[in-house]
Amino acid sequence: MIKRKAVRVRLIPALLALAALGASFAAAAPAPQARSRERIRENLLTLRLLRMTQALDLTEEQSAMIFPAVNRIEKEKLGLLRRLSPEIEGLREAVRSPEPDEADILARADRVRELRDAVKAKDDELEAFLEAGLTPVQRAKYLLFSVDFYRGIGQILERTRRPGGAGR
């Protein structure tokens, strides 16, 4: 048990460093290709699952139950996000038009809202699934973990965007 924990303790900082490095490359690229963005999302999901396992002290059984469901839900969410991006861009173009077509704008706005609501529904589905499989203490830890994880990723990305990069 101690060796496993020691490996985990050494593994997590290494994974965080890799995520920061990947984020800095992504931020430095003028317009990352779709595959590059997808790979970054996959790496962040993997990092999130590893960190979640540690933060919630998941059992092997819980991990075996949670990981496939999280992957499935995240893939479905990614598909929705892929559909949402062009809809948002189309809405932007329609609004910027010298002679905006209000009916077109309303229809586009409705599609954006529907897709955004579908993404939220996937997040709610994940939360409900996790609540059913976690103890009350793990549920509370998950809420804290989610806030801390995404705040940490945001801080890493902010540092990589600053002049001088991640070293500052």
Side-chain angles (χ1 to χ4, degrees):
M1 179 66 176
I2 292 176
K3 281 190 176 194
R4 185 174 146 201
K5 192 166 191 98
V7 168
R8 248 198 273 171
V9 170
R10 282 185 248 133
L11 178 64
I12 298 306
L15 289 172
L16 284 173
L18 285 173
L21 182 62
S24 66
F25 286 134
Q33 300 297 325
R35 180 68 190 134
S36 176
R37 275 183 261 166
E38 186 174 314
R39 187 75 183 141
I40 291 169
R41 280 190 188 105
E42 289 171 4
N43 288 342
L44 281 175
L45 176 59
T46 302
L47 175 63
R48 183 171 179 252
L49 288 171
L50 288 170
R51 295 285 295 148
M52 188 172 79
T53 300
Q54 182 184 29
L56 277 59
D57 198 25
L58 296 177
T59 65
E60 288 182 27
E61 295 79 22
Q62 286 174 314
S63 296
M65 176 189 72
I66 289 171
F67 285 21
V70 170
N71 279 321
R72 177 189 55 80
I73 291 169
E74 288 294 333
K75 283 181 183 178
E76 291 170 2
K77 192 169 130 179
L78 182 59
L80 291 167
L81 291 170
R82 282 186 187 134
R83 291 176 40 207
L84 181 60
S85 291
E87 291 292 342
I88 290 173
E89 192 54 39
L91 180 59
R92 268 197 189 98
E93 290 173 17
V95 168
R96 290 181 189 147
S97 172
E99 296 177 25
D101 178 350
E102 289 185 1
D104 180 51
I105 289 172
L106 287 174
R108 288 176 184 276
D110 285 343
R111 287 193 301 270
V112 167
R113 262 190 233 95
E114 288 172 11
L115 287 167
R116 189 185 62 195
D117 290 346
V119 169
K120 286 180 188 176
K122 287 295 168 192
D123 286 335
D124 292 343
E125 179 184 346
L126 178 59
E127 294 277 333
F129 177 80
L130 289 174
E131 284 202 16
L134 299 175
T135 68
V137 172
Q138 286 174 321
R139 281 184 254 164
K141 286 180 177 181
Y142 175 74
L143 292 173
L144 297 172
F145 163 77
S146 292
V147 170
D148 293 342
F149 180 81
Y150 288 113
R151 182 180 296 148
I153 295 297
Q155 290 170 348
I156 289 169
L157 290 174
E158 182 61 33
R159 281 194 305 266
T160 60
R161 289 183 183 130
R162 288 186 202 143
R168 289 203 160 181

